[in-house]
Amino acid sequence: MTAESEKAPVAVGSRAGVPDWLRRAATLNELWTFVILLALVVFFTIAAPGKFFTTYDITQIAVNAAIYLVLGVGMTFVIITAGIDLSIGSVLVLAAVAAGEYNIHHGGPASGWGTVALCVVIALAVGTAWGALQGVVVASGKVPPLIVTLGGLGAALGIAELATGGQDPAGASSTHLQNSLGFGKLLGIPWMVILAAVVTAIFGAVLAATRFGEHTLAIGSNPTAVRRAGIPVGRHLVKVYGLMGLLAGLGAVMWLASYGTTSIAGHSTDNLKVITAVVLGGTSLFGGRGSVLGTVIGVFIPAVLTTGLIVIGVQQYWQDVAVGVVLVVAVYIDQMRRKTRERA
């Protein structure tokens, strides 16, 4: 045995002297996403000392991100199946209009808790039904999700505009809903943030520790093998898109609680923001890989970016440009990761 061969085993488990734990950490999508988020916080804190990352900013960022986090959880499941949902903003609007119209005709801002409860049920039901319908078309009609949800985007928004004449109706939200979920706090934490955290925790556990989550990941990785294993892929896709619709309906309730109106024209870029957050969080657009934890971090990157640009005085139009650039970069990084795994 030569001296060279005696030294060779030293490299095993420590490539070029790099410890195993460090190499494993370098491959964690959540870690890299968190590093990007931390870098943004540091940059804006230095660029606007005393103005950024104050207690008020942190609260506002969390509240502003709450709805997108709820939508992002649903989108995580959809994208893991190698699907996409471009209709989420329009579904949110449609669910908000349905609930808002009921509230208007049953007391308006002065409506009681019974009406509030029915409005919540209406929003959740409309969102779930629309999402499930899109899932049926994707699963049974074999139509690409991009086309189905693009059509769903236009159709849902069109129905909402027909129902309201294209105008945001007054009295769409109860004062009870706004004073509780919209502006209320528990131990100083806004109820909006608490609700988003609960939804995230529940569905994070569903994805990581249940058969539903396991099947979702498997379908995104290899749908053919999943079918051969006897798992009903079509039925599962309907459930996944139904879940996305359900959370869009919940987002509608949260929006009504926060703003008291449907904001028909205010959700055209929701899909862009949510998809950006999910992909930034490490969920692969090619399916089969992703986590709700990554989405949580990914949601806060555009939120911090937008708030930081406002604080340093950048025009709103540049904020949209920045979010678009971040999305392209995130997709590029995702492709590079995928190619790296294939070579390995």
Side-chain angles (χ1 to χ4, degrees):
M1 182 178 294
T2 64
E4 289 78 3
S5 63
E6 290 176 353
K7 294 178 181 179
V10 175
V12 177
S14 183
R15 188 179 303 170
V18 179
D20 286 340
W21 68 268
L22 186 57
R23 286 193 294 106
R24 284 195 297 269
T27 62
L28 291 176
N29 297 315
E30 293 85 354
L31 176 61
W32 284 110
T33 308
F34 182 74
V35 168
I36 294 171
L37 176 61
L38 186 61
L40 285 174
V41 171
V42 171
F43 170 78
F44 286 120
T45 301
I46 294 173
K51 297 181 180 180
F52 181 77
F53 215 59
T54 62
T55 302
Y56 175 79
D57 282 335
I58 294 172
T59 301
Q60 286 304 114
I61 288 172
V63 171
N64 293 338
I67 295 176
Y68 295 113
L69 180 55
V70 169
L71 297 176
V73 169
M75 187 66 76
T76 301
F77 280 80
V78 171
I79 293 181
I80 284 177
T81 65
I84 200 77
D85 191 344
L86 301 179
S87 69
I88 54 173
S90 295
V91 176
L92 186 154
V93 168
L94 180 60
V97 165
E101 287 293 330
Y102 183 87
N103 189 77
I104 290 170
H105 293 92
H106 292 82
S111 59
W113 282 111
T115 299
V116 170
L118 284 173
C119 286
V120 171
V121 171
I122 289 170
L124 297 180
V126 168
T128 303
W130 194 275
L133 176 61
Q134 293 186 147
V136 169
V137 177
V138 170
S140 302
K142 308 300 181 184
V143 182
L146 178 70
I147 303 301
V148 172
T149 59
L150 183 60
L153 181 156
L157 184 59
I159 293 172
E161 290 174 333
L162 286 171
T164 61
Q167 302 296 319
D168 293 312
S173 181
S174 169
T175 302
H176 289 308
L177 180 63
Q178 289 193 273
N179 289 338
S180 55
L181 178 60
F183 309 126
K185 295 181 179 181
L186 177 64
L187 301 178
I189 303 174
W191 276 110
M192 291 278 288
V193 176
I194 294 173
L195 177 58
V198 170
V199 170
T200 301
I202 290 173
F203 288 103
V206 168
L207 180 61
T210 69
R211 183 171 298 179
F212 184 85
E214 180 183 343
H215 290 177
T216 301
L217 290 162
I219 288 171
S221 298
N222 193 334
T224 301
V226 172
R227 288 190 181 92
R228 289 174 179 171
I231 298 173
V233 174
R235 188 184 307 168
H236 191 87
L237 288 176
V238 173
K239 293 177 182 178
V240 167
Y241 281 90
L243 171 61
M244 179 71 260
L246 171 69
L247 295 180
L250 180 57
V253 174
M254 297 169 73
W255 188 273
L256 288 172
S258 295
Y259 302 100
T261 181
T262 53
S263 300
I264 293 174
H267 298 275
S268 59
T269 60
D270 282 3
N271 50 11
L272 173 65
K273 293 176 181 177
V274 173
I275 293 170
T276 299
V278 173
V279 176
L280 275 174
T283 299
S284 175
L285 283 171
F286 301 96
R289 180 171 57 86
S291 73
V292 171
L293 174 60
T295 295
V296 172
I297 303 172
V299 163
F300 280 97
I301 289 179
V304 168
L305 183 62
T306 300
T307 301
L309 291 174
I310 292 173
V311 169
I312 64 176
V314 176
Q315 289 185 348
Q316 180 180 355
Y317 307 112
W318 282 109
Q319 297 168 29
D320 295 334
V321 172
V323 172
V325 170
V326 168
L327 174 59
V328 173
V329 172
V331 173
Y332 176 77
I333 293 174
D334 180 44
Q335 286 186 316
M336 293 301 99
R337 288 171 176 167
R338 181 169 175 261
K339 290 178 181 179
T340 300
R341 289 196 306 273
E342 289 176 349
R343 284 198 297 267

